[in-house]
């Protein structure tokens, strides 16, 4: 049950694009389509923004997109906005009825 | 509107017990698997335990097996976590989360969390 690996911090200017990586193993990300991304603002609960690798829940802007290649999933935020400044966590089904999260990426909008 | 409200957190000494509750509304609670997920500043988010819609299947992360017990009451639309033999490393904010993929841990709704602090 080792955590997925994410960069601890990233930054970008308004209007730019950023891509956050999430690296796992062949036992989690590499084996399943159940990769999700959650956004968390300070003091708030996490919010689902991407599920099943690349699907967006209703109400999530299409600036947010997800993808996967091998054991690595990625979240891309296009056209960065000030309100995108938050912590982002990836999550994957890890088999044997367990889940594993990434350590989180703090995104700063400059 | 989906709402999930946790309660029961607090300060407890090592070796002590707490029972967390999660009251839900706005959806068919009995149709979904539910999980507890915790968060501390050092380790980020961590899945703790899950229970299937009819409580037939229950799972725990290794570090809490034998100490934590998850349960649910579908008549009361509520989820519970009994935590015994608490350790300092259990200190975290505990969230209840709805798993809309029913067993594949895709959490579409989260409660606001309840803080558990284990300290002497």
């Amino acid at each position: 049950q080792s955590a997925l690996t994410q960069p601890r911090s990233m930054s970008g200017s308004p209007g730019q694009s950023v891509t956050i990586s999430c690296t796992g193993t062949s036992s989690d990300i590499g084996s399943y389509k159940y990769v999700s991304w959650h956004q968390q603002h300070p003091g708030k609960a996490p919010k689902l923004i991407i599920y099943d690798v690349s699907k967006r829940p209703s109400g999530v802007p299409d600036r947010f997109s997800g993808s996967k290649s091998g054991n690595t999933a990625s979240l891309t935020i296009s056209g960065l906005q000030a309100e995108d400044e938050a912590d982002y966590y990836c999550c994957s089904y890890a088999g044997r009825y367990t889940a594993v999260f990434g350590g989180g990426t703090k995104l700063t909008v400059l | 509107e989906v709402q999930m409200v946790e309660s029961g957190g607090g300060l407890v000494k090592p070796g002590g017990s707490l029972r967390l509750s999660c009251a839900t509304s706005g959806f068919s609670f009995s149709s979904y698997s539910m999980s507890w997920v915790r968060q501390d500043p050092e380790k980020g988010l961590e899945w703790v335990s899950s229970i299937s819609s009819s409580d037939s299947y229950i799972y725990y992360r290794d570090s809490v097996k034998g100490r934590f017990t998850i349960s649910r009451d579908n008549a009361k639309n509520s989820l519970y976590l009994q935590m015994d033999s608490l350790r300092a490393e259990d200190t975290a904010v505990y969230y209840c989360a709805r798993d809309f993929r029913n067993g594949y841990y895709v959490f579409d709704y989260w409660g606001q969390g309840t803080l558990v602090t284990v300290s002497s």
Side-chain angles (χ1 to χ4, degrees):
Chain A
Q1 295 172 343
S2 298
L4 305 173
T5 301
Q6 297 181 233
R8 295 202 70 163
S9 63
M10 297 190 70
S11 62
S13 299
Q16 287 186 332
S17 294
V18 294
T19 297
I20 300 172
S21 62
C22 171
T23 301
T25 70
S26 58
S27 297
D28 39 64
I29 291 177
S31 290
Y32 303 100
K33 70 174 186 177
Y34 301 107
V35 177
S36 55
W37 290 88
H38 301 265
Q39 177 192 62
Q40 186 178 35
H41 288 104
K44 300 292 189 181
K47 173 189 173 186
L48 178 68
I49 56 172
I50 294 288
Y51 68 98
D52 294 356
V53 176
S54 59
K55 298 177 182 177
R56 278 188 313 277
S58 174
V60 173
D62 60 7
R63 303 185 292 104
F64 293 89
S65 62
S67 63
K68 185 183 88 163
S69 177
N71 298 336
T72 298
S74 299
L75 171 71
T76 298
I77 309 172
S78 306
L80 265 181
Q81 299 184 4
E83 59 262 36
D84 299 334
E85 184 162 298
D87 294 328
Y88 292 84
Y89 293 90
C90 57
C91 178
S92 176
Y93 179 65
R96 302 177 69 178
Y97 309 105
T98 64
V100 63
F101 285 90
T105 298
K106 183 178 181 62
L107 176 64
T108 301
V109 180
L110 302 170
Chain B
E1 179 191 5
V2 172
Q3 291 195 335
M4 304 196 303
V5 180
E6 301 93 337
S7 60
L11 174 63
V12 62
K13 290 182 168 53
S17 298
L18 276 177
R19 187 186 193 224
L20 305 184
S21 298
C22 172
T24 75
S25 61
F27 67 100
S28 178
F29 179 74
S30 61
S31 297
Y32 291 89
S33 295
M34 299 292 294
S35 281
W36 288 97
V37 178
R38 65 187 179 186
Q39 182 174 34
D40 77 33
E42 302 302 320
K43 293 187 287 185
L45 291 168
E46 187 173 76
W47 170 79
V48 174
S49 179
S50 67
I51 185 168
S52 62
S53 57
S54 59
D55 74 23
S56 299
Y57 303 100
I58 287 175
Y59 305 102
Y60 301 97
R61 68 178 301 104
D62 289 345
S63 61
V64 308
K65 281 180 184 175
R67 301 188 298 120
F68 289 12
T69 303
I70 192 172
S71 62
R72 65 190 296 160
D73 185 335
N74 286 345
K76 295 183 178 179
N77 296 325
S78 293
L79 177 72
Y80 307 100
L81 186 67
Q82 176 67 40
M83 303 187 297
D84 299 319
S85 302
L86 281 161
R87 306 167 180 168
E89 55 264 36
D90 296 318
T91 294
V93 174
Y94 284 73
Y95 296 98
C96 61
R98 188 178 85 166
D99 174 10
F100 86 101
R101 284 295 188 219
N102 280 320
Y104 290 102
Y105 302 116
V106 181
F107 305 117
D108 63 339
Y109 284 98
W110 300 66
Q112 88 290 348
T114 187
L115 177 62
V116 172
T117 303
V118 184
S119 174
S120 54

